[in-house]
Amino acid sequence: MPKKTTRRTFLKRTIGSLFTLFGLSSGGYYYANKIEPSMLGIEQITITHSLIPDSFNGIRIVQFSDTHLGFQYTLHQLKKLVNQINQLKPDLIFFTGDLMDEPNRYTKMNKLVPILEKLHAPLGKFCIFGNHDHGGYGSDLYRNIMEAANFTVLLNQSSVIKLQDHSKIYLLGIDDAMLGSPDLPLALKNVPKNNFTILLSHAPDLADDAQDYPIHWQLSGHSHGGQVKIPLIGALIKPPFAQKYLEGLYTLGDGNKLTLYVNRGLGTTRLPFRFLSKPELTVFTLNKEKA
């Protein structure tokens, strides 16, 4: 009896055929499976806005996303990542979802908290839900892990980031768009007007909604930067709610009201390949825009 062809098998065969078509053959296949997924690019981005208080100049934020532990990304890689993040001396750390690929099947959960606990950020560690964090009945598992590791889980809510001089900015976090219930008005409920706001949304395409609210920057993941990009063809993997915004910086709204940044993530999903879309760690530096 012939084996049933799954979507994952079909995509894997398609990628193999495309590598052959472009003359990459087994070398390109090995590179996409073993080499590029272990590479790490550190992107440096300046967040500039007139509402950022002077005292926040130079504040450093590190965003990491989409580890998908248990599929291809390992605990060894996570330990190395934690050391790399701490060496960057962030003031704030944001995780934008998809910690484990299948939470209910992940067998090394007890080792996660001690690793994530070692991340240090004096102004706080914050996270949101991705679709894989909800999948496989993982919602409570994910929340418990992140809270045990001293992360604040933002689920359609806000948190004020305040310095000793009482100057402040606001951080918002909404639920995942695929398997959760994102609610921007609820997240903004306790945010006063005329304050600088950063939104964490796993799904980048929700920026089309966020631009209609008093939100200045949105940081997202989910897309993996397309994960596999073939010359002349483009990205092969575009998940729902990451169809429009795949990676990097975008400006939306009248007068560039909202700036979106999409992180390529660290792990892989569906297929154990990355090609022309290496893993990413993002370092943001706040800078008040001068009038």
Side-chain angles (χ1 to χ4, degrees), residues 15-25 28-29 32 228 230 273 275:
I15 289 172
S17 299
L18 286 168
F19 284 161
T20 302
L21 176 64
F22 284 92
L24 299 173
S25 65
Y29 194 91
V228 175
I230 301 297
F273 302 108
F275 190 71

Side-chain angles (χ1 to χ4, degrees), residues 122-134:
L123 295 182
K125 304 188 294 188
F126 298 86
C127 66
I128 53 172
F129 280 88
N131 53 300
H132 283 260
D133 303 315
H134 281 309

